[in-house]
């Protein structure tokens, strides 16, 4: 399990220097191993109805600090907006499915931890 790659979860924060115009950027929260999951047709069309272009679903070990206001970056450097985080029932180890949506704006990544 979880052998398909690494995903780093970032919080979107203001990375501008004090006194300057706010500038959204990413601050690292945590890094998780993941396993690719199938993006089901029902989930895909549900996203399209809400004008969200869903691209991937990944399964990771459960971590309490991931939410739908974060950004996920895979090991290839591609950035995704986290659309949904769902706990998976009746599996071991405890896991969660993260639905990743296409992101139009690339954020600047900060090496600081949140």
């Amino acid at each position: 399990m979880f052998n398909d790659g690494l995903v780093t979860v970032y919080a979107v924060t203001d990375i501008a220097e004090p006194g300057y115009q706010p500038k959204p950027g990413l601050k690292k929260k945590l890094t998780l191993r993941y396993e690719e999951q199938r993006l089901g047709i029902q989930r895909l069309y549900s996203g399209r109805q809400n004008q969200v272009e869903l691209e991937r679903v990944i399964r990771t070990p459960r971590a309490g600090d991931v939410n739908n206001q974060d950004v996920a970056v895979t090991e290839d450097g591609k950035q995704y907006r986290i659309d949904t985080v769902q706990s998976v029932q009746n599996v071991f180890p405890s896991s969660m499915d993260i639905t990743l949506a296409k992101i139009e704006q690339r954020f600047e990544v900060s090496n600081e931890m949140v």
Side-chain angles (χ1 to χ4, degrees):
M1 274 189 106
F2 311 126
N3 290 328
D4 290 339
L6 291 172
V7 62
T8 305
V9 178
Y10 291 89
V12 179
T13 61
D14 179 17
I15 61 169
E17 295 293 325
Y20 287 88
Q21 179 179 355
K23 179 180 179 182
L26 303 178
K27 288 198 178 178
K28 185 176 179 178
K29 290 173 95 172
L30 59 126
T31 300
L32 300 166
R33 299 183 65 79
Y34 72 86
E35 174 184 359
E36 289 282 345
Q37 295 293 300
R38 184 173 54 106
L39 177 62
I41 196 76
Q42 184 174 0
R43 189 179 302 210
L44 179 67
Y45 283 120
S46 175
R48 287 186 180 167
Q49 285 177 344
N50 295 317
Q51 285 125 15
V52 176
E53 188 64 39
L54 301 178
E55 291 195 351
R56 298 168 81 173
V57 176
I58 58 175
R59 181 165 290 172
T60 67
R62 192 174 299 166
D65 201 21
V66 179
N67 62 57
N68 64 349
Q69 296 179 2
D70 294 334
V71 171
V73 180
T74 53
E75 68 277 355
D76 61 1
K78 192 159 184 188
Q79 296 181 1
Y80 299 93
R81 184 177 59 78
I82 294 178
D83 187 62
T84 57
V85 179
Q86 298 173 303
S87 293
V88 180
Q89 303 298 319
N90 303 321
V91 295
F92 182 81
S94 58
S95 306
M96 61 185 177
D97 284 348
I98 302 174
T99 305
L100 303 175
K102 184 177 182 178
I103 199 167
E104 298 297 328
Q105 171 190 1
R106 287 192 54 87
F107 291 98
E108 185 177 320
V109 177
S110 170
N111 292 326
E112 295 179 35
M113 294 286 289
V114 172

